[in-house]
Amino acid sequence: GAGVSQSPSNKVTEKGKDVELRCDPISGHTALYWYRQSLGQGLEFLIYFQGNSAPDKSGLPSDRFSAERTGGSVSTLTIQRTQQEDSAVYLCASSRKGSTGSSYNEQFFGPGTRLTVL
Amino acid sequence: KNEVEQSPQNLTAQEGEFITINCSYSVGISALHWLQQHPGGGIVSLFMLSSGKKKHGRLIATINIQEKHSSLHITASHPRDSAVYICAVNGETSGSRLTFGEGTQLTVNP
């Protein structure tokens, strides 16, 4: 079956512009995650959606970042007024479910969107 | 100090060697993940474990909850194993969000 897909694969934008990054999770996966990997840095959690619950936004670095998930499937990460420090690879992952007690699920990662802010 | 520490940061081996990558963490966890990231960026989940040991092909992952330590072993290493290996944990109080180590860059030479 199809894996997690992300678009675009590459995005170059000018400082101050807004960008939207899209994630299509694996069909039937109720949990969706956004991560960021800056050049030479480790992975960093941004936001997590689980079903119809309120998202965990605790990893978003500033109020310029927002994300939504429509219909429990596709998610869009929006960065407003981009800055050069926003340049990174943005990764999306999905899993069959999020945390339920002590039960966790393997996360399947998309190929990422490489964002370059000039 | 990061909540998840990996060692070594870089590792070079000859084909056929037995490889060990270590991960230590400082928080209570519900699960630990080992991920593989190839050049080009794609990330693949190798293991998810909360106790004991798991094996898949030439890869073995172990975890010691009391010592807050996990190891990833690769037997009979091959150049195609060259990648970044990342340890990540589900903290007991952080739900499904993963906290990542910095990764270990493995290069296996023929």
Side-chain angles (χ1 to χ4, degrees):
Chain A
V4 177
S5 61
Q6 292 185 245
S7 61
S9 55
N10 282 283
K11 176 73 176 177
V12 179
T13 191
E14 292 178 349
K15 178 181 170 181
K17 295 285 180 69
D18 297 352
V19 295
E20 283 190 353
L21 311 180
R22 177 187 167 107
C23 172
D24 281 273
I26 293 172
S27 177
H29 281 194
T30 60
L32 186 147
Y33 313 79
W34 282 99
Y35 301 100
R36 177 169 74 172
Q37 187 172 36
S38 302
L39 185 62
Q41 304 292 315
L43 282 151
E44 173 189 15
F45 166 81
L46 296 177
I47 188 169
Y48 157 60
F49 296 89
Q50 171 56 50
N52 295 321
S53 302
D56 175 357
K57 305 180 183 180
S58 59
L60 294 178
S62 80
D63 59 8
R64 296 186 295 103
F65 288 72
S66 63
E68 62 177 20
R69 189 177 184 194
T70 54
S73 181
V74 171
S75 177
T76 302
L77 177 69
T78 301
I79 309 173
Q80 296 178 309
R81 304 181 303 282
T82 52
Q83 303 294 311
Q84 287 182 329
E85 61 263 27
D86 300 333
S87 296
V89 175
Y90 290 83
L91 290 150
C92 175
S94 70
S95 66
R96 274 197 293 273
K97 61 178 180 178
S99 61
T100 304
S102 62
S103 173
Y104 294 87
N105 279 257
E106 178 184 5
Q107 294 187 22
F108 294 82
F109 286 79
T113 293
R114 182 175 297 277
L115 174 66
T116 303
V117 182
L118 301 177
Chain B
K1 189 179 190 299
N2 292 337
E3 290 183 347
V4 181
E5 298 273 355
Q6 287 184 235
S7 63
Q9 283 188 307
N10 292 280
L11 181 56
T12 300
Q14 288 300 122
E15 184 172 356
E17 286 184 0
F18 180 84
I19 288 162
T20 296
I21 299 171
N22 295 299
C23 176
S24 296
Y25 51 91
S26 57
V27 296
I29 69 167
S30 296
L32 183 142
H33 304 249
W34 280 103
L35 309 171
Q36 180 191 55
Q37 185 172 31
H38 275 284
I43 294 178
V44 174
S45 176
L46 298 175
F47 294 102
M48 182 180 67
L49 65 168
S50 55
S51 65
K53 174 179 173 178
K54 286 191 176 181
K55 184 175 189 291
H56 184 254
R58 295 180 295 106
L59 302 178
I60 303 166
T62 64
I63 188 168
N64 185 317
I65 295 294
Q66 287 73 29
E67 295 186 3
K68 291 186 164 62
H69 181 269
S70 175
S71 292
L72 177 68
H73 305 285
I74 305 175
T75 61
S77 59
H78 191 276
R80 64 175 175 268
D81 297 326
S82 298
V84 176
Y85 292 83
I86 303 167
C87 174
V89 300
N90 291 106
E92 282 179 338
T93 60
S94 56
S96 283
R97 62 179 293 174
L98 288 175
T99 302
F100 298 88
E102 294 293 317
T104 295
Q105 173 70 62
L106 171 66
T107 303
V108 181
N109 294 317

